Amino acid sequence: MAARPQLLRRPRRRRLQQPERTATIASDDLIGTWAANLRGSKTSLHLRTNHEVAIDANAATVFSNAYAWNRMEGNGDPLWEVWGTYEHHLTRSGAGWIVDGFTFRMTHERGNPWVKTTPGQDLH
């Protein structure tokens, strides 16, 4: 997948879905989950805006706003949306800047949770 070159293999990604829930997920597992869920019959749009970058020598933190829209027919309301913020941590390497971790903090969601959790089906 295109995301692999920008993510280190060993570090873990931390996603905060809700203030009381924290999950630490290995890079390959996170990318695999995205690939399995966001495919086929599920339409998806993900945006990040208003990036604020803080650089400290060979480390950087990027703060941004996030929005995701997912649509899939098959079980009632076909929409699910989420808003939140990202905090990406980067390290400068010989190959350039590499993401070595990030956190997503959900601030609001609405719609059908079935759309969020059900993988898209292959279109044949």
Side-chain angles (χ1 to χ4, degrees):
M1 281 191 85
R4 169 50 51 220
Q6 287 78 32
L7 299 175
L8 290 176
R9 291 199 181 275
R10 288 193 188 134
R12 301 191 178 281
R13 308 291 159 248
R14 212 175 74 172
R15 295 190 307 166
L16 293 169
Q17 298 242 337
Q18 298 171 346
E20 67 276 3
R21 287 188 354 173
T22 301
T24 300
I25 304 167
S27 303
D28 288 337
D29 293 341
L30 180 58
I31 291 170
T33 299
W34 286 338
N37 191 6
L38 302 173
R39 64 186 182 99
S41 61
K42 184 180 282 189
T43 304
S44 175
L45 170 71
H46 295 245
L47 303 172
R48 288 180 38 219
T49 66
N50 298 6
H51 297 80
E52 181 181 320
V53 179
I55 299 174
D56 183 13
N58 290 323
T61 305
V62 180
F63 300 94
S64 62
N65 295 320
Y67 169 76
W69 175 94
N70 291 267
R71 178 182 175 85
M72 188 167 65
E73 300 287 342
N75 187 16
D77 181 1
L79 297 177
W80 177 77
E81 298 173 281
V82 65
W83 292 260
T85 60
Y86 273 113
E87 181 177 327
H88 286 80
H89 297 275
L90 295 89
T91 302
R92 190 187 325 245
S93 73
W97 290 97
I98 303 293
V99 176
D100 62 8
F102 71 84
T103 302
F104 174 72
R105 292 179 179 88
M106 181 179 70
T107 58
H108 182 71
E109 69 177 329
R110 73 174 171 191
N112 186 347
W114 176 84
V115 176
K116 171 186 173 182
T117 59
T118 303
Q121 301 303 306
D122 287 332
L123 300 174
H124 288 115

